[in-house]
Amino acid sequence: MSLHAKRIDEVPEETARVARAAFPKGSLAMRIRDELGELFSDAGFAGLYPVRGKPAWSPGRLALVSVMQFAEGLSDRQAADAVRGRLDWKYLLGLELADPGFDHSVLTEFRDRLVAGGAGTSLLDQVLEAASVRGLLKAGGRARTDSTIVLSAARQINGLVRLGETLRAALNTVAAREPEWLASWAPSGWFDRYPIRFEDARLPKGKAKRTELIEQIGADGLSLLTALNGPDAPASLRLLDRIQTLRRMWVQQYFVDDGQVRRRDLKDRPPGSERLVTPYDTDARGSVKRGIFWDGYKVHLTETCEPDSPNLITHVATTDSTVQDVRLVAPIHAHLAERRLLPERHLVDAGYATAREVVTASRDHQVDLVGPILSSTSWQTTDDEGFSQADFTIDWENRRVTCPNGKTASNWQEDRSQQGTAVVRARFPATACRPCQDREQCTRSGTKSNTGRRITLRPRAEQEVIQQARAQEDTQEWKKQYAHRAGVEGTISQGVRAFGLRRCRYHGLAKARLQHQLTATAMNLHRLNAWWTNTPRAHTRTSRLAALRPAE
């Protein structure tokens, strides 16, 4: 397929006449066309197509169809039917009434091109640019960010089933590619052990029997990998995705002990960020949050929250489920800075707000990152009579720390924490702490210990941010300011309930990322439509019982 870029002309006269007669009050698709004009041009997708070949269907129109597909929750086949049969879609796309559209498989091929070219985010950016041109989006003001879990499109499997399914999937792939080679050497027992899904098979109940089956699966998988590396095996089989997955899974889960295949203990397996959880989606990872376990990803949404303009999603990021929220703050700010959409105040929850991120956001982007700083968990802080770190006086210029009783620690050392971040460690001499009458409120090291109280500090800028933030969090002014962050929960709810945000349509991180970019773009179009039609924003739902709460 090749691209012959053409400008989408005005809506054909007959299409406009019939569509306006059928929709006298307009519709979402028609308002998008009327308010935003030619949203996506063919020229913007030139890099995704070769210069020779059969002319492709207009990628600018395909981009509109893809976004509208997510805006209305349609399958590929339903979206293709809408292009052929719906008047408002023909109006949006600028098509003649008799235009036959395209086969639904074209949408799959177009998404593959978007993924390969990393062009998914450009769809969201172009909608935001169109809104900016019309004065509906400006830099500065407030923005807020939150994340939610995303379930992988692959079914969730665990333990024995995961191992059996990995080998079964590999065998089926080899059988489809080289059936004669596999049939010539595969043990007869394999045809009884791996013919159906493992969750549908009758698996042993006892622990010993299950362990025996796990080791048998491991030995069978190792036999297949060994055979594939033999001189008689077709070389192409070793490059199959399912075989590569089998090899990774077996390295993570098994080891060979005196010729016997054994399963690794849990502590010897890779960390969650590297561990495969299913052979059908190798990018998905297992994670847990507030007691909820899931296999898949996380999506982070950033939106504006100003009363005089529509709340538009300005950034969407998809990661595997093990990535901590705090790691997204810098990429979000860098992306918004590049597009000149940085807010003045960025409201986030405790997962994003750390002293280091607050300092970095202010220094690099002049953004006020607002969120609750996690309180200290030391026993001195939780004990009302204990001497917490806040009770010590820090003299940064002279590199000294003074305790509440006036003793001074001159042992000041710059160091790195276990996570690799810069810290300052100050240690009081044992001669000062041992005879102290308040020792039990300060440290739990015994009186015979050769060391006194130790204080670990962040770099000065971060330490001052921590102290200032913890002092402000109890004020009514800060609470009023931070209350605007709660609205992002409604955005997450809208995405989950109306747009299927929490369930992947496709396998793999790259396609999940494209799904969320299209979803965010579709949500923005709905919000622009609500703004154009003066649809009021929904209020926070209040239960009947909560409404009876007496005023304080």
Side-chain angles (χ1 to χ4, degrees):
M1 304 294 287
S2 63
L3 176 61
H4 298 269
K6 297 180 180 179
R7 181 178 177 82
I8 300 178
D9 297 326
E10 294 297 325
V11 180
E13 183 178 347
E14 183 66 7
T15 301
R17 184 185 68 80
V18 176
R20 293 192 185 282
F23 297 91
K25 295 183 179 180
S27 68
L28 170 65
M30 296 175 67
R31 289 191 195 94
I32 293 171
R33 177 71 191 207
D34 292 338
E35 297 288 345
L36 302 182
E38 183 187 11
L39 195 52
F40 307 120
S41 65
D42 288 353
F45 302 92
L48 306 183
Y49 290 84
V51 296
R52 296 182 179 179
K54 182 180 178 180
W57 213 75
S58 166
R61 288 189 171 109
L62 285 176
L64 271 175
V65 172
S66 298
V67 174
M68 289 300 297
Q69 175 184 4
F70 280 81
E72 299 190 10
L74 305 179
S75 66
D76 289 353
R77 193 179 298 274
Q78 290 171 328
D81 289 342
V83 173
R84 279 189 290 272
R86 284 181 50 177
L87 293 173
D88 55 339
W89 279 44
K90 287 186 179 294
Y91 184 96
L92 169 66
L93 300 171
L95 296 176
E96 298 286 351
L97 291 177
D99 193 291
F102 52 83
D103 185 79
H104 69 276
S105 61
V106 172
L107 289 172
T108 301
E109 186 266 347
F110 180 66
R111 284 195 301 271
D112 290 341
R113 292 184 185 276
L114 291 178
V115 170
T121 189
S122 66
L123 304 184
L124 177 62
D125 290 341
Q126 289 179 62
V127 171
L128 295 175
E129 182 178 355
S132 297
V133 170
R134 289 155 180 82
L136 299 177
L137 178 64
K138 300 177 182 178
R142 297 187 303 250
R144 53 198 179 196
T145 297
D146 201 3
S147 66
T148 189
I149 67 176
V150 178
L151 305 179
S152 169
R155 63 189 187 276
Q156 189 172 22
I157 53 180
N158 296 294
L160 170 59
V161 175
R162 179 191 300 131
L163 299 172
E165 279 297 294
T166 302
L167 179 53
R168 191 182 74 87
L171 289 171
N172 281 330
T173 302
V174 173
R177 181 66 65 90
E178 296 288 346
E180 295 181 359
W181 176 83
L182 182 60
S184 66
W185 72 269
S188 59
W190 287 18
F191 299 98
D192 296 326
R193 199 174 298 135
Y194 307 108
I196 62 174
R197 290 182 175 183
F198 262 66
E199 59 262 44
D200 296 334
R202 183 171 295 177
L203 301 176
K205 301 296 183 182
K207 182 177 180 180
K209 290 292 185 180
R210 294 177 72 89
T211 301
E212 181 181 348
L213 179 56
I214 288 174
E215 293 182 352
Q216 179 65 61
I217 293 171
D220 292 344
L222 183 59
S223 297
L224 175 60
L225 292 173
T226 302
L228 290 173
N229 287 325
D232 299 332
S236 61
L237 294 180
R238 294 192 288 271
L239 303 178
L240 295 175
D241 290 341
R242 290 281 190 261
I243 299 303
Q244 298 292 338
T245 301
L246 176 67
R247 184 175 290 108
R248 288 177 60 190
M249 185 75 78
W250 256 232
V251 169
Q252 293 182 0
Q253 297 286 338
Y254 290 103
F255 71 101
V256 179
D257 181 22
D258 291 334
Q260 180 70 29
V261 178
R262 308 282 188 192
R263 192 179 187 189
R264 296 182 185 275
D265 292 332
L266 184 60
K267 60 182 179 60
D268 293 329
R269 298 172 201 167
S273 60
E274 301 175 10
R275 193 184 311 151
L276 300 180
V277 295
T278 174
Y280 304 112
D281 189 350
T282 56
D283 291 334
R285 295 292 181 267
S287 190
V288 58
K289 183 177 183 180
R290 301 189 187 98
I292 300 176
F293 292 83
W294 83 98
D295 292 343
Y297 310 95
K298 280 201 297 187
V299 60
H300 306 256
L301 299 179
T302 301
E303 67 171 0
T304 60
C305 50
E306 293 299 317
D308 58 348
S309 61
N311 293 344
L312 298 179
I313 298 172
T314 55
H315 183 269
V316 57
T318 307
T319 67
D320 76 61
S321 62
T322 63
V323 175
Q324 295 179 334
D325 292 349
V326 68
R327 292 177 55 185
L328 272 295
V329 176
I332 290 172
H333 289 165
H335 178 93
L336 296 179
E338 183 179 349
R339 286 150 182 80
R340 299 180 180 179
L341 292 175
L342 275 173
E344 295 176 357
R345 182 174 295 118
H346 190 183
L347 306 173
V348 296
D349 64 18
Y352 298 90
T354 67
R356 182 172 57 178
E357 299 305 326
V358 172
V359 171
T360 302
S362 177
R363 182 191 64 214
D364 296 346
H365 301 291
Q366 294 74 54
V367 172
D368 182 15
L369 185 66
V370 180
I373 302 294
L374 293 177
S375 58
S376 174
T377 57
S378 67
W379 69 267
Q380 293 97 335
T381 302
T382 57
D383 188 340
D384 293 337
E385 297 181 355
F387 291 160
S388 67
Q389 189 180 104
D391 296 319
F392 288 71
T393 303
I394 305 169
D395 185 350
W396 293 96
E397 284 76 14
N398 297 311
R399 298 162 64 92
R400 285 201 301 260
V401 178
T402 304
C403 79
N405 286 333
K407 303 297 182 180
T408 301
S410 57
N411 188 321
W412 180 289
Q413 182 181 4
E414 295 181 356
D415 198 1
R416 292 276 173 179
S417 67
Q418 293 181 347
Q419 292 75 31
T421 59
V423 295
V424 173
R425 303 188 191 277
R427 186 177 62 189
F428 286 82
T431 54
C433 292
R434 191 178 296 125
C436 181
Q437 59 181 0
D438 295 321
R439 180 184 180 86
E440 293 183 357
Q441 284 74 45
C442 189
T443 178
R444 287 179 174 173
S445 60
T447 56
K448 296 182 179 180
S449 173
N450 293 325
T451 59
R453 173 72 182 269
R454 297 179 180 180
I455 299 291
T456 301
L457 305 171
R458 300 290 184 88
R460 181 173 183 175
E462 296 181 21
Q463 193 69 28
E464 291 175 348
V465 163
I466 292 174
Q467 294 175 345
Q468 182 180 6
R470 289 175 179 168
Q472 291 178 343
E473 287 173 16
D474 292 330
T475 65
Q476 289 300 319
E477 181 181 356
W478 187 93
K479 293 178 180 179
K480 182 179 179 180
Q481 177 188 106
Y482 186 66
H484 293 285
R485 192 211 69 89
V488 75
E489 304 287 352
T491 297
I492 297 293
S493 178
Q494 181 188 24
V496 171
R497 295 172 182 271
F499 297 90
L501 184 69
R502 189 162 286 162
R503 171 71 69 174
C504 282
R505 286 191 176 197
Y506 320 108
H507 293 97
L509 178 58
K511 291 185 177 181
R513 185 174 288 125
L514 175 62
Q515 173 185 337
H516 296 145
Q517 290 162 346
L518 291 171
T519 299
T521 306
M523 291 174 67
N524 278 346
L525 293 182
H526 271 279
R527 292 181 171 200
L528 287 170
N529 182 59
W531 185 263
W532 294 326
T533 57
N534 297 317
T535 302
R537 294 170 181 169
H539 296 287
T540 302
R541 291 193 299 271
T542 303
S543 69
R544 294 174 181 249
L545 176 62
L548 299 178
R549 182 192 299 272
E552 297 180 357

